[in-house]
Amino acid sequence: MTFETLGWQGLVILVIFGLSLLIATYCTYAERVIAAFMQDRVGPDRAGPYGLAQPLADAVKMFTKEEFFPGGASKALFTFGPCLAMTTALMSSAVIPFGNAVQFGSTVVHLQGIEINVGMLYVFGIVSLGVYGVMIGGWASNNKFSLLGAIRAASQNISYELAMGLALIAVLMISGTLSLREITLQQASDAPFVWRDIFNWNIMKQPLGFIIFLVCAFAETNRTPFDLPECETELVGGYHTEYSSMKLGLYLFSEYINIFVVSAVMSVLYFGGFNFPFQYEFRDWLASSRGLELITAQNIITVLGAVGLFAKIFAFIFFFMWVRWTLPRFRYDQLMRLGWTILIPLAIFNILLTGGLITTGIIK
């Protein structure tokens, strides 16, 4: 890798980092607007035009609030917990391919922080570390409600990571790789049949696996109807009961970053990532009819692919918010029963079914 390419990749990493923060910031605004629409009331409309400055006002409030440490709490761990939750949330987006490559002369820049051949394992490993931030914060608060919320978060994450991992195995059996870029590229097709791209997406081959993955994603991100670790009616505020100021902000912010990351992962694994229908036909049309160089036409396709991927991500983020303001919260025993007695057996059945379909040549 040349020094110039290294500089471009560094710029891409900074852009991905900034985009993750920006999207998480405005997810808080979108959540309030959607909640207001569903509850037939006026949403944020005071700070800036259409309330668009509300997230900035929230950030100022969080930064200027009084720092508070509960009596008997471990101050170091009390501070380390939200920092760890935030750090792991930001690290997990590094291997997601947000677009194909753009080329400037002899320089090729991949729209991905870093490409590793075990990208999916990396995401799972980093996301799994996030629960330690919740556990440490809950234990360090010296509060029984916080500790109970943290224990719930840990047991919930372990239970649903099993089913999520088993659902992912079926995708890996089809693709044969752990690289998220490779999985995305395998879902593209330059066959003459223009809609072939959509039929090549893994959602067509793994509908059951996608449903299992989607349900587990709600549990992994502690979103309603699985937000038991912060259940207000039973645990006050759950693991962040004693938190205030920016430490509470880091916990809340990391939740929205996790939603963004898991939406991106689902888009890449099941919905073709940055691929979109007619992409090769459109590239050839740009090159032949508009007289553009093939490299320029491919760069335009890459930009459109990145826009398409973000459209898929925003659709999933909206779905997360829609469900939150539509469905009631599960009881804890219902949550555990769903994970261990329904999702895990279904995921094992999906692996066996996928193996049978691959063996018989029905799916490749």
Side-chain angles (χ1 to χ4, degrees), residues 108-262:
V108 178
V109 180
H110 294 282
L111 302 186
Q112 181 181 16
I114 183 171
E115 163 62 8
I116 52 176
N117 59 6
V118 289
M120 200 56 244
L121 273 185
Y122 170 88
V123 172
F124 258 67
I126 295 297
V127 168
S128 301
L129 284 177
V131 74
Y132 286 100
V134 174
M135 280 292 294
I136 290 170
W139 182 82
S141 297
N142 193 31
N143 179 305
K144 61 183 178 184
F145 294 118
S146 301
L147 183 60
L148 283 171
I151 292 171
R152 279 188 176 188
S155 55
Q156 179 173 317
N157 274 264
I158 291 168
S159 304
Y160 280 79
E161 270 175 15
L162 277 174
M164 181 181 269
L166 291 172
L168 181 63
I169 285 175
V171 175
L172 302 181
M173 288 168 67
I174 295 172
S175 59
T177 176
L178 284 164
S179 164
L180 290 173
R181 171 167 289 277
E182 283 297 319
I183 292 173
T184 304
L185 293 174
Q186 286 179 13
Q187 295 177 73
S189 170
D190 55 359
F193 180 31
V194 292
W195 285 103
R196 181 68 176 271
D197 274 341
I198 286 183
F199 289 105
N200 232 30
W201 292 358
N202 285 333
I203 181 64
M204 297 295 180
K205 304 171 185 174
Q206 286 294 310
L208 178 59
F210 167 68
I211 292 170
I212 296 168
F213 196 97
L214 179 65
V215 174
C216 294
F218 275 90
E220 286 290 308
T221 52
N222 294 331
R223 293 285 295 185
T224 308
F226 303 139
D227 59 336
L228 279 302
E230 52 191 86
C231 177
E232 299 89 351
T233 51
E234 300 167 17
L235 300 177
V236 188
Y239 62 91
H240 54 60
T241 298
E242 299 288 356
Y243 279 92
S244 64
S245 70
M246 204 55 213
K247 292 193 287 296
L248 174 64
L250 290 178
Y251 270 134
L252 302 181
F253 218 56
S254 63
E255 178 181 317
Y256 285 105
I257 295 177
N258 284 330
I259 292 171
F260 166 64
V261 170
V262 80

Side-chain angles (χ1 to χ4, degrees), residues 11 33 77 85 123 151 220 231 275 357:
L11 181 63
V33 171
L77 293 179
V123 172
I151 292 171
E220 286 290 308
C231 177
N275 297 301
L357 294 175

